[in-house]
Amino acid sequence: MRLRHTHQLSAAERDTLRAFLSDAFDGDFADSDFDHCLGGLHVLADDHAGIVGHASVVQRQLIAGATVLRTGYVEAVAVASRRRREGIGDALMVCVEDVIADAYDLGALSASDDGRPLYLRRGWEPWNGPLGVLTLDGVRPTADEDSILVLRTPTHAGVDTTRRLVCDPRAGSAW
């Protein structure tokens, strides 16, 4: 496993990462999705052929009820199809969870149906309260199908997951 900040990736490495993620997500990985995984820490797994796994942690501000939380938001978790079911996803998440525990109030991510069992098995919890995004016109509810999971940290172990959770705005999907 390699841990690199976005600024440590050359343009060629970013291009390789973008191609890997597009392939790992079967072409369903928009430019805005790639943008969301930049600006933070990348956990990269490699083998003789190149990248076989990736996850990134970027900082976001989430508001739980009335509490603003510095959140390690997990983006672009992917494993190459030829290397799935070998423990690479778990190994990526060990690194991600260490970063979150050491640097953030809370961990959060938007889980796909395929990825959800991995996160739940590792102790991530569903956010059960309503979801929203902060806009210039106030808070706008987000789609009910958003599947947000959180990882509590020792400093915020008592966060109430039934309260409204609001994310900061960004291009593309809110979560």
Side-chain angles (χ1 to χ4, degrees):
M1 294 292 151
R2 296 184 291 139
L3 189 63
R4 299 285 185 272
H5 192 279
T6 298
H7 86 276
Q8 295 174 303
L9 301 175
S10 69
E13 289 170 315
R14 284 192 306 275
D15 289 345
T16 299
L17 177 59
R18 176 68 175 94
F20 165 77
L21 291 169
S22 182
D23 184 56
F25 285 100
D26 295 324
D28 188 23
F29 196 76
D31 289 341
S32 61
D33 296 325
F34 186 62
D35 189 56
H36 294 166
C37 81
L38 300 177
L41 291 174
H42 300 266
V43 181
L44 297 155
D46 300 289
D47 71 5
H48 67 281
I51 299 172
V52 295
H54 172 269
S56 65
V57 181
V58 297
Q59 182 170 313
R60 294 190 74 184
Q61 298 295 317
L62 300 186
I63 305 168
T67 305
V68 178
L69 298 166
R70 187 181 65 256
T71 302
Y73 200 80
V74 181
E75 293 282 0
V77 178
V79 175
S81 59
R82 66 183 172 78
R83 296 294 308 270
R84 291 185 183 146
R85 308 284 183 244
E86 295 179 17
I88 294 171
D90 273 310
L92 292 167
M93 292 308 295
V94 166
C95 294
V96 162
E97 291 159 5
D98 285 346
V99 168
I100 290 168
D102 290 343
Y104 295 99
D105 298 328
L106 184 74
L109 56 81
S110 176
S112 67
D113 290 340
D114 290 339
R116 190 175 176 86
L118 166 69
Y119 308 125
L120 293 174
R121 187 177 72 248
R122 297 195 54 77
W124 291 72
E125 305 171 53
W127 190 270
N128 296 308
L131 301 171
V133 60
L134 188 60
T135 71
L136 294 175
D137 298 319
V139 175
R140 178 181 52 83
T142 55
D144 291 338
E145 67 268 6
D146 288 327
S147 178
I148 304 305
L149 302 177
V150 296
L151 182 68
R152 298 169 191 262
T153 63
T155 58
H156 285 79
V159 67
D160 182 356
T161 60
T162 65
R163 305 286 312 255
R164 178 172 70 174
L165 186 66
V166 177
C167 64
D168 50 359
R170 64 184 188 176
S173 64
W175 295 99

